[in-house]
């Protein structure tokens, strides 16, 4: 199996399956990637546009071309020297599947009873599907059936739902929690027990077959935090998958690091994304932008109280079943469970039943408890040293509360600079210094994934590049927003987020902008939510979106375009050339101004054709960097380079690789904070290259020794140099 030097993420859909991937093999080879990284490939619900709702682990998805189509695609890719990485979903599957049907029919006697993480507390599985038209819970036992439900032979039907009849389940109101562990708050996705070896094999049989046949080289593991034992799962996966490159979708907050004992090559790169993004954010913009935000919204100037309140709210809204189940396991008051979960700062504390908790884990839980009432102290003991069930249930509950409370609520409520509101991000942390970034790179795993955009990012890398400029122009930005808001206003808790995203995603259609704002408002839950719609509010939102698009927002975007382009190219070069395995999300080899899903999962047209100078420059940077990474190979050494002069803070530079004599083989140079730089220029600031002759892959110019940055970065705000005197 070959390890990737880079990957290209493709979102498979019924409209873009294996045959279409094979058709772009030549394009991807010429781009320079080594592996195509596919979204989930197993059979999912027929209409699924993402594939994380698997219904049958024994089949490759028919809509994509099935097993034969996959094999043909893999062979075509291999003919172009491209490997395959697949996204796997061990944590959950869709509830509409043959195995769960058997469990609902036969209960604990089903041969598949061990597949799912079910709460049999009252002897039946609670299924939250009933609408408000059915007054009370309905048992699956044979008996009187309320209006709205129909018995059709051995099937009980309710709207689009079907269940075995009779069976071991209760239908309850759709707002209630289910009688099983689910993915976050999604009742249609049921938790799998892959800690059971039989379940692991049954749900990974096709994946192991593809690995054994050499059709797949690597795995991206979705949501390991949901598993009962992620460390054990990864150990078993590596034992069976051999040398397959493996990364995990693990969200790390602040200084948090991936546990050393997880058998994988690293994460999918959100901690990298946030640090690269921070390089292009000016800390001086923090105070004025927070003031603009607080004045416009009336929200607090501090983020942490907003985050704490959001987590408490989602616990009350969505996670009553999970709280009650954990409270029973820990013999604690549910109020204490809610309090401690709301205070947890990370997605998992990495405690393993039967082992002494790591000091870092103890510190995390104790610090959270310090912010709580004394009532949580008994629970702290249970989740650190108690029963296996209490420890595991707490671990599995932390992630959903963080995801729904922070990612899907707080980040839509507190947004002084929306490019900081990313998965795993801390929106009150403005900027990352060059020194801190170099220190971070020095500690990176050489084969961890790096990324700037994914199918789950809140906004694409080029949208964030524009937003980063605002950190250097808070006064000008504040004046522009005040002007637009004087003409068009709607909801103080939404308007400022709307203006940021409208400008940064420009040009954007009214339809796309409206869809984004509807999702943002529902996630914020301050006026409407997914479960509490308000047709009047939603119509006024649509009217606002249509009126806002007519404001001169595009003029501001055009005004900052040179600076945004500099940030975009700089971030792209840094991500592609820093340690790790860089991923390019589909279409982001050129500019992409997408917002949160489903906007960022729109169809892509290939080959990508540059339409602007920004497009052309980004495609050039991406192509040359990816091709250079293939020549350098994996795990190339990294070393900082320091500029000298008054404008030295405006550059980040580093070397990669080493020949037999230890001499670097490549140099990457990127401009940062371009607005302030434009006011002063590079002046006499210089960069001294390592000994040798260097060719800039972007311009074709050759350089040696000490170079004025005004000369090196005269044509592009970035430079990519390769030694050519070997």
């Amino acid at each position: 199996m070959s390890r990737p030097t880079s990957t290209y993420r493709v979102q498979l859909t019924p409209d873009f399956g294996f045959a279409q991937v094979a058709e772009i093999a030549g394009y991807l080879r010429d781009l320079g990637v080594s592996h195509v990284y596919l979204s989930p490939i197993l059979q999912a619900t027929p209409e699924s546009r993402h594939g994380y709702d698997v219904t049958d682990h024994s089949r490759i998805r028919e809509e994509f071309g099935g097993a034969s189509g996959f094999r043909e695609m893999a062979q075509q890719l291999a003919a172009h020297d491209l490997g395959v990485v697949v996204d796997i979903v061990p944590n959950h599957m869709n509830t509409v599947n043959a195995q769960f049907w058997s469990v609902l029919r036969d209960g604990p006697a089903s041969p598949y009873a061990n597949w799912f993480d079910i709460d049999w507390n009252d002897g039946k599985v609670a299924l939250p599907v009933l609408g408000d038209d059915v007054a009370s819970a309905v048992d699956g036992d044979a008996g009187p059936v309320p209006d709205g439900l129909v018995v059709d032979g051995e099937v009980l039907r309710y709207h689009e739902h079907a269940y075995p009849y009779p069976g071991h389940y209760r239908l309850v109101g759709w707002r209630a929690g289910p009688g099983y562990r689910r993915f976050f708050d999604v009742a249609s996705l049921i938790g799998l027990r892959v800690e059971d070896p039989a379940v692991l094999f049954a749900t990974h049989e096709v994946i192991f077959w593809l690995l054994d046949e050499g059709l797949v080289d690597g795995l991206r593991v979705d949501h390991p935090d949901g598993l009962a034992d992620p460390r054990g799962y990864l150990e078993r996966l590596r034992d069976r998958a051999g040398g397959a490159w493996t990364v995990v979708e693990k969200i790390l907050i602040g200084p948090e690091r991936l546990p050393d004992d997880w058998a994988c090559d690293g994460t999918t790169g959100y901690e990298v994304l946030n640090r690269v993004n921070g390089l292009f954010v000016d800390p001086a913009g923090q105070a004025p932008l927070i003031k603009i935000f607080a004045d416009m919204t009336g929200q607090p100037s501090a983020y942490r109280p907003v985050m704490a309140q959001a987590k408490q709210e989602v616990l009350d809204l969505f996670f009553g079943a999970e709280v009650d189940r954990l409270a029973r396991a820990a013999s604690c008051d549910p109020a204490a469970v809610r309090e401690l979960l709301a205070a947890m700062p990370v997605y998992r504390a990495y405690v393993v039943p039967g082992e002494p908790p790591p000091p870092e884990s103890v510190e995390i839980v104790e610090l959270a408890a310090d912010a709580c009432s004394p009532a949580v102290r008994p629970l702290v003991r249970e989740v650190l040293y108690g029963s296996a069930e209490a420890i595991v249930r707490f671990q599995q509950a932390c992630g959903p509360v963080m995801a729904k409370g922070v990612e899907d609520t707080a980040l839509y409520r507190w947004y002084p600079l929306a490019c900081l509101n990313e998965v795993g991000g801390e929106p009150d942390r403005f900027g990352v210094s060059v020194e801190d970034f170099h220190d971070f790179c020095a500690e990176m795993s050489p084969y961890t994934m790096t990324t700037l955009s994914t199918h789950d990012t809140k906004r694409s890398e080029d949208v964030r590049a524009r937003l980063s400029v605002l950190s250097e122009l808070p006064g000008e930005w504040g004046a522009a927003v005040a002007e637009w808001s004087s003409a068009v206003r709607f909801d103080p808790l939404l308007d400022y987020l709307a203006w940021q995203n409208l400008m940064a995603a420009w040009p954007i259609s009214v339809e796309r902008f409206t869809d984004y704002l509807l999702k943002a408002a529902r996630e914020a839950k301050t006026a409407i939510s997914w479960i509490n719609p308000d047709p009047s509010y939603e119509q006024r939102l649509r009217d606002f979106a249509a009126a806002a698009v007519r404001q001169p927002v595009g003029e501001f975007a055009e005004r900052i375009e040179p600076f945004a382009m500099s940030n975009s190219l700089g971030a792209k070069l840094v991500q592609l050339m820093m340690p790790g395995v860089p991923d390019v999300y589909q279409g982001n080899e050129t500019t992409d101004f997408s917002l949160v899903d489903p906007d960022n999962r729109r169809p892509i047209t290939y080959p990508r054709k540059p339409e602007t100078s920004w497009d052309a420059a980004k495609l050039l940077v991406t192509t040359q960097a990816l091709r250079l990474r293939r020549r350098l190979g994996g795990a190339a050494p990294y070393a900082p380079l320091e500029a000298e002069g008054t404008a030295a803070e405006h550059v980040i530079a580093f070397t990669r690789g080493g020949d037999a004599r230890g001499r670097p083989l490549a140099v990457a140079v990127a401009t940062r904070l371009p607005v302030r730089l434009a006011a002063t220029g590079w002046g006499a600031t210089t960069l001294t290259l390592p000994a040798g002759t260097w060719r800039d892959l972007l311009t074709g110019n050759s350089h040696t020794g000490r170079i004025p940055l005004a000369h090196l970065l005269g044509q592009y705000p970035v430079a990519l140099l390769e030694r050519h005197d070997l």
Side-chain angles (χ1 to χ4, degrees):
M1 295 181 182
S2 61
R3 284 176 174 262
T5 59
S6 60
T7 61
Y8 188 95
R9 168 77 177 206
V10 174
Q11 288 293 116
L12 297 168
T13 69
D15 309 311
F16 197 93
F18 303 139
Q20 288 72 36
V21 174
E23 289 174 0
I24 64 171
Y27 170 79
L28 296 179
R29 175 203 60 207
D30 292 344
L31 192 63
V33 299
S34 71
H35 284 69
V36 180
Y37 160 31
L38 302 175
S39 59
I41 63 169
L42 298 182
Q43 189 64 47
T45 54
E47 68 277 8
S48 176
R49 308 294 291 182
H50 51 77
Y52 291 96
D53 46 358
V54 174
T55 58
D56 187 346
H57 291 88
S58 69
R59 291 190 295 149
I60 295 178
R61 194 166 171 185
E62 295 297 333
E63 296 94 322
F64 298 164
S68 61
F70 186 94
R71 182 184 297 277
E72 292 171 7
M73 175 205 66
Q75 291 171 345
Q76 182 71 11
L77 293 174
H80 288 82
D81 197 23
L82 294 169
V84 177
V85 172
V86 295
D87 193 340
I88 63 173
V89 193
N91 175 68
H92 56 266
M93 68 183 298
N94 192 277
T95 52
V96 180
N97 66 76
Q99 292 80 17
F100 192 47
W101 181 277
S102 170
V103 173
L104 294 178
R105 183 188 60 215
D106 301 328
S110 165
Y112 300 106
N114 286 338
W115 270 50
F116 306 107
D117 191 354
I118 292 174
D119 183 1
W120 292 107
N121 185 53
D122 63 356
K124 297 179 181 291
V125 185
L127 304 176
V129 297
L130 296 179
D132 298 332
D133 57 325
V134 179
S136 60
V138 177
D139 277 340
D141 293 333
V145 177
D147 292 341
L149 288 87
V150 176
V151 176
D152 179 9
E154 296 183 349
V155 177
L156 177 67
R157 301 190 185 277
Y158 177 66
H159 298 296
E160 73 275 19
H161 304 287
Y163 305 99
Y165 190 78
H168 294 255
Y169 58 87
R170 290 186 304 120
L171 303 185
V172 299
W174 65 277
R175 297 174 193 267
Y180 49 82
R181 181 175 60 82
R182 55 187 164 172
F183 174 71
F184 295 168
D185 63 333
V186 185
S188 61
L189 297 177
I190 184 170
L192 289 165
R193 296 187 62 254
V194 292
E195 63 271 23
D196 184 320
V199 178
L200 172 65
F201 179 80
T203 55
H204 289 62
E205 181 180 5
V206 169
I207 301 301
F208 292 153
W209 160 65
L210 294 173
L211 288 164
D212 290 344
E213 293 218 2
L215 299 176
V216 166
D217 290 330
L219 305 172
R220 180 262 197 192
V221 178
D222 184 67
H223 190 47
D225 281 338
L227 304 180
D229 180 17
R231 185 188 69 183
Y233 166 79
L234 291 170
E235 288 173 352
R236 291 186 289 274
L237 185 65
R238 173 153 289 180
D239 287 345
R240 180 60 183 80
W245 178 70
T246 304
V247 291
V248 293
E249 186 220 16
K250 178 73 189 81
I251 312 303
L252 302 171
I253 306 296
E256 184 186 11
R257 296 292 181 267
L258 194 67
D260 292 335
D261 57 3
W262 280 24
C264 62
D265 293 285
T267 73
T268 53
Y270 282 105
E271 72 281 7
V272 173
L273 179 158
N274 285 300
R275 283 172 173 82
V276 173
N277 185 62
L279 280 173
F280 302 91
V281 171
D282 190 348
Q286 179 167 357
L289 286 174
I290 289 178
K291 185 176 189 307
I292 293 170
F293 164 76
D295 289 346
M296 284 199 66
T297 65
Q299 287 282 71
S301 58
Y303 166 62
R304 303 294 157 165
V306 174
M307 178 179 68
Q309 180 178 345
K311 291 168 73 175
Q312 291 163 358
E313 288 180 17
V314 300
L315 275 160
D316 292 337
L317 278 172
F318 303 126
F319 297 120
E322 287 81 358
V323 166
D324 290 344
R325 194 173 182 186
L326 175 54
R328 290 199 307 270
S331 301
C332 284
D333 188 331
V337 171
R338 285 192 293 271
E339 194 174 0
L340 185 58
L341 283 172
M344 284 292 291
V346 294
Y347 285 70
R348 196 175 178 102
Y350 314 114
V351 180
V352 178
E355 299 180 8
E360 298 85 355
S361 301
V362 174
E363 182 180 9
I364 288 169
V365 177
E366 289 286 357
L367 284 174
D370 288 345
C372 300
S373 70
V376 307
R377 297 312 308 182
L379 177 59
V380 170
R381 290 191 295 273
E382 289 298 317
V383 301
L384 289 175
Y385 309 101
S387 68
E389 185 176 5
I391 290 171
V392 169
R393 295 282 171 222
F394 181 75
Q395 297 288 312
Q396 291 175 312
C398 288
V401 174
M402 285 290 290
K404 299 304 298 181
V406 178
E407 289 179 41
D408 293 344
T409 304
L411 295 186
Y412 288 93
R413 294 181 178 182
W414 203 90
Y415 41 82
L417 185 60
C419 64
L420 302 176
N421 291 42
E422 200 44 82
V423 178
E426 298 173 285
D428 55 350
R429 184 186 182 193
F430 278 65
V432 172
S433 71
V434 172
E435 294 74 21
D436 286 347
F437 186 80
H438 286 318
D439 290 344
F440 173 77
C441 288
E443 298 176 357
M444 287 180 65
S445 168
Y447 288 101
T448 193
M449 180 181 278
T450 73
T451 190
L452 290 182
S453 298
T454 78
H455 60 287
D456 278 335
T457 41
K458 301 298 184 185
R459 44 196 62 79
S460 70
E461 59 204 58
D462 295 317
V463 170
R464 293 199 306 273
R466 281 178 172 164
L467 290 168
S468 296
V469 176
L470 305 185
S471 68
E472 298 191 78
L473 291 171
E476 187 172 332
W477 168 246
V481 171
E483 178 184 340
W484 304 332
S485 295
S486 67
V488 181
R489 62 183 62 196
F490 166 54
D491 179 350
L493 296 178
L494 185 69
D495 289 7
Y496 186 50
L497 183 65
W499 293 121
Q500 288 187 68
N501 286 279
L502 178 58
M503 185 281 296
W506 191 270
I508 185 172
S509 68
V510 173
E511 292 75 19
R512 283 180 57 211
F513 186 48
T514 300
D515 288 345
Y516 170 75
L517 290 183
L518 284 169
K519 178 165 184 173
R522 289 163 178 159
E523 298 286 29
K525 308 171 190 65
T526 51
I528 59 173
S529 69
W530 297 104
I531 62 174
N532 290 307
D534 180 343
S536 173
Y537 179 95
E538 291 168 15
Q539 182 56 53
R540 287 183 286 123
L541 181 151
R542 291 184 173 91
D543 295 341
F544 167 78
V549 169
R550 293 194 294 268
Q551 293 300 303
V553 176
E555 295 177 9
F556 190 95
E558 184 178 357
R559 149 88 173 89
I560 69 168
E561 179 116 335
F563 308 123
M565 176 176 168
S566 178
N567 287 342
S568 166
L569 299 181
K572 198 67 184 172
L573 181 67
V574 169
Q575 181 245 334
L576 294 177
M577 291 304 299
M578 68 188 291
V581 176
D583 176 59
V584 176
Y585 183 66
Q586 58 179 28
N588 280 262
E589 62 269 36
T590 56
T591 58
D592 174 58
F593 299 101
S594 296
L595 298 173
V596 72
D597 68 279
D599 192 60
N600 61 9
R601 302 178 189 180
R602 289 171 293 139
I604 299 295
T605 301
Y606 294 100
R608 305 296 290 166
K609 299 289 189 181
E611 298 180 1
T612 65
S613 59
W614 187 348
D615 271 340
K618 191 176 183 189
L619 184 59
L620 175 65
V621 168
T622 302
T623 302
Q624 292 298 333
L626 290 174
R627 292 175 179 177
L628 179 55
R629 289 303 298 263
R630 290 201 74 156
R631 294 194 293 274
L632 290 175
Y638 171 99
L641 274 184
E642 293 186 9
E644 297 178 355
T646 56
E649 68 166 321
H650 292 283
V651 67
I652 177 168
F654 51 85
T655 66
R656 294 304 314 272
D659 62 11
R661 296 164 56 187
R663 298 179 300 172
L665 299 174
V667 173
V669 185
T671 302
R672 57 189 297 267
L673 309 181
V675 177
R676 286 202 283 114
L677 176 64
T680 62
W682 287 112
T685 305
T686 61
L687 184 71
T688 301
L689 298 175
T693 303
W694 298 85
R695 184 169 66 90
D696 189 337
L697 300 178
L698 307 180
T699 66
N701 297 331
S702 293
H703 303 280
T704 59
R706 189 176 181 183
I707 313 170
L709 284 170
H711 173 60
L712 180 64
L713 303 177
Q715 184 171 346
Y716 295 106
V718 294
L720 179 59
L721 311 177
E722 184 176 22
R723 181 187 293 278
H724 68 107
D725 59 351
L726 297 177

